[in-house]
Amino acid sequence: MSRSLSGERATATVESAHSQVGPPEPIFAARGEARMMDASEVAQLKAMMEWEGRRTAPPEGFPALPDMPAGRYTSAEYYALEVEHVFRKSWLFAGHLDEIPDPGCWMRWHNAGDPIVIVHGMDGVVRAFHNTCRHRGAPVVTEDRGKSSRLMCGYHNWTYKTDGSLVGVPERRDFPADFDLSCRGLLPVRCELFGKVIFVNFDMEAMPLIEWMGPIAREWEEFAFDRIRLAARHSFDLQCNWKVAMEANMEVYHVPFIHPNTVAPLVDSTRNLNTLYPNGHARMLAPPPRQTDREHVRAIDSPPGWQQIDTVGELGRTCTQSYTLFPNWVSPLSNYFVPPLLFWPTSLTTTRLELVTMALDWGDAPAPDLWTVPDASQPNGRQMSPIILEDTQFGEAIQHSMQGSAFRSVPLSYQEARIYSFHQNLDAMIGVDKVPEPLRVAPVIGPDWVWPNDPRRAQMEREPAT
């Protein structure tokens, strides 16, 4: 169904798989009308970053975070719960409209278990289906991408329209006279767009994508999700639990030590401001060190020919503004890029890291790729960039160490609160009663610390600036 939301929720219109009638409506307002933070909002966030740099202890009233159980990274039982309940019930990044640009285009996707096919319908609507023929279970498509006005299973040539309906069964005479094709269509998967970015959800009763995103949808309007193109998409296999890999990108505590020459010169970890959102999402906002007085893109300078996103506001141009979209998306957003890192669990101790760069049209310049560099020795001809290599270099060793008897629990600091909140939301989505008690995290971060609430504001206002 098509939903239009405004104000605090968003001006986006999202197309759902429940009712696929006609082409999708425009998703964002006209160019130049994207909702940016107003001056008072920017000023308050800048003041809070300065306050974070001055504090000498965690904020008043912030809960002491109990140690997290070690088994959350090593337990096969907990991993199975994540796969069944988190990755089957969350909105997941699936791709970009550039990958299926025209009616009839389709692509395979299998990053969360069940194989699915995402189709740009002949009516203009983007849908997703289980890539499973309703006859004998063969895949309907066997290539990664293609284009056709019909989807035909190669096993017995059962044929489906791009809206999933079954329209062709060879030797129809051999089936019963009351064999009803109308109830044998491809099984749908929820599929909705945010701008040109495609998300899927296996839970047909899940809340709409725009509600799942909450206030992030409003904050992301300025980053032109309706205009950005897909510039690069590459995957790499890591030898560690998906949370080990992802959590390296959910705190800046490590930045001075792991990234002394790449990220540290551009991010002041002492003035980092974390914000927790409903549904497990979060944002970090950090200014450059005081000696860095230029506008910057995270860890790189912009080459000639790359287009700036003209609707991005002051914080996106001058700070590192990074978001966690629960469960597995982490991305800095800037006036040049929307470059998500996606962490897909492939086993208890392995992860597929997907590195994506989206940007405005780059014209005749080389396609921008923020996260990888050419490397002829690699199977896909690319290697992870120095920043990603720094973040992933210890993953396998950490996982091996975690499997040992000395790894018993995880104490987290206030600066690592995004990680603790993330784990609280993992348990909430699984269902706390389903999580074995020795593996649970205590839900100590209450709603008073989740947007729009923030006790730090009142504390900051009581303290004189220095």
Side-chain angles (χ1 to χ4, degrees):
M1 76 192 91
S2 178
R3 298 171 180 260
S4 179
L5 297 96
S6 60
E8 288 300 311
R9 291 173 66 187
T11 59
T13 297
V14 176
E15 196 71 21
S16 165
H18 284 315
S19 178
Q20 302 123 349
V21 180
E25 302 172 26
I27 294 179
F28 287 90
R31 181 172 178 173
E33 296 179 7
R35 195 274 189 199
M36 292 187 287
M37 293 183 187
D38 60 36
S40 62
E41 203 172 354
V42 171
Q44 183 175 70
L45 289 171
K46 290 169 70 174
M48 291 184 71
M49 284 188 281
E50 297 304 316
W51 177 83
E52 287 282 359
R54 294 193 305 270
R55 65 176 175 79
T56 57
E60 294 175 3
F62 189 79
L65 302 177
D67 283 19
M68 296 196 311
R72 296 177 71 85
Y73 301 88
T74 60
S75 164
E77 182 177 10
Y78 192 78
Y79 173 76
L81 291 171
E82 292 173 332
V83 172
E84 179 182 357
H85 296 283
V86 176
F87 283 87
R88 302 291 297 186
K89 299 177 183 178
S90 300
W91 283 102
L92 306 171
F93 170 85
H96 189 282
L97 200 56
D98 281 356
E99 296 174 280
I100 48 170
D102 303 312
C105 290
W106 50 263
M107 61 182 284
R108 290 195 303 176
W109 187 85
H110 46 79
N111 281 342
D114 285 11
I116 71 174
V117 56
I118 302 169
V119 184
H120 191 152
M122 298 305 293
D123 57 0
V125 177
V126 175
R127 302 175 177 86
F129 303 99
H130 289 270
N131 186 20
T132 305
C133 180
R134 297 298 304 281
H135 177 216
R136 303 249 305 265
V140 177
V141 301
T142 56
E143 303 293 330
D144 286 338
R145 286 180 179 80
K147 184 176 183 180
S148 175
S149 62
R150 294 287 190 268
L151 303 176
M152 182 184 292
C153 173
Y155 196 6
H156 297 95
N157 280 21
W158 278 37
T159 304
Y160 303 84
K161 294 173 64 175
T162 57
D163 66 1
S165 57
L166 177 63
V167 293
V169 175
E171 300 298 339
R172 178 70 179 80
R173 63 179 183 169
D174 290 333
F175 288 86
D178 61 353
F179 187 75
D180 187 359
L181 272 63
S182 69
C183 64
R184 306 280 180 173
L186 296 175
L187 295 179
V189 175
R190 288 285 295 278
C191 182
E192 297 184 2
L193 304 179
F194 185 77
K196 293 185 176 181
V197 181
I198 304 167
F199 290 85
V200 296
N201 193 321
F202 288 99
D203 182 2
M204 297 304 289
E205 303 304 318
M207 68 178 71
L209 173 62
I210 204 77
E211 295 182 15
W212 171 259
M213 295 176 70
I216 286 180
R218 174 183 64 87
E219 294 183 17
W220 281 11
E221 284 187 43
E222 66 183 76
F223 295 99
F225 276 74
D226 58 327
R227 293 187 282 137
I228 52 175
R229 294 185 56 202
L230 179 64
R233 184 176 186 178
H234 303 288
S235 296
F236 300 86
D237 292 326
L238 307 177
Q239 303 303 308
C240 60
N241 182 271
W242 70 283
K243 299 185 297 298
V244 170
M246 182 168 165
E247 289 166 11
N249 297 273
M250 294 174 66
E251 45 87 3
V252 293
Y253 186 20
H254 73 286
V255 166
F257 317 110
I258 299 299
H259 306 293
N261 300 311
T262 52
V263 180
L266 299 172
V267 174
D268 186 345
S269 59
T270 66
R271 291 187 286 160
N272 176 63
L273 174 67
N274 290 324
T275 301
L276 306 178
Y277 294 109
N279 300 323
H281 315 314
R283 179 190 67 199
M284 65 150 280
L285 187 62
R290 297 187 190 280
Q291 65 271 23
T292 304
D293 58 3
R294 60 180 176 83
E295 292 187 354
H296 68 277
V297 180
R298 188 174 190 251
I300 69 166
D301 291 314
S302 57
W306 290 9
Q307 298 294 313
Q308 286 204 55
I309 302 172
D310 51 9
T311 52
V312 172
E314 178 184 353
L315 297 180
R317 295 194 311 269
T318 62
C319 297
T320 295
Q321 188 170 344
S322 184
Y323 288 85
T324 304
L325 190 66
F326 188 89
N328 69 329
W329 161 308
V330 180
S331 179
L333 303 181
S334 76
N335 53 322
Y336 284 97
F337 303 108
V338 174
L341 295 81
L342 291 309
F343 299 85
W344 302 105
T346 51
S347 76
L348 173 62
T349 59
T350 59
T351 301
R352 178 165 296 116
L353 171 59
E354 191 170 17
L355 303 174
V356 179
T357 301
M358 295 179 280
L360 290 188
D361 197 316
W362 45 92
D364 295 329
D369 188 338
L370 187 58
W371 299 131
T372 76
V373 296
D375 186 341
S377 69
Q378 299 299 314
N380 62 358
R382 309 294 296 185
Q383 178 56 279
M384 293 182 283
S385 70
I387 292 174
I388 303 299
L389 287 172
E390 289 168 352
D391 273 330
T392 58
Q393 63 181 311
F394 297 127
E396 183 173 359
I398 290 172
Q399 188 67 42
H400 184 70
S401 178
M402 283 180 165
Q403 302 293 137
S405 60
F407 180 56
R408 300 175 182 178
S409 64
V410 179
L412 294 174
S413 68
Y414 161 71
Q415 189 59 260
E416 299 164 296
R418 280 191 297 156
I419 295 175
Y420 196 94
S421 175
F422 168 71
H423 280 262
Q424 278 193 199
N425 280 277
L426 286 175
D427 282 6
M429 178 151 277
I430 292 169
V432 174
D433 59 322
K434 296 183 179 70
V435 179
E437 189 169 355
L439 297 176
R440 297 175 188 171
V441 294
V444 298
I445 301 178
D448 51 325
W449 289 96
V450 177
W451 185 96
N453 303 313
D454 192 337
R456 294 173 299 185
R457 290 194 294 262
Q459 184 177 342
M460 178 185 71
E461 290 165 2
R462 291 196 306 270
E463 298 175 3
T466 57

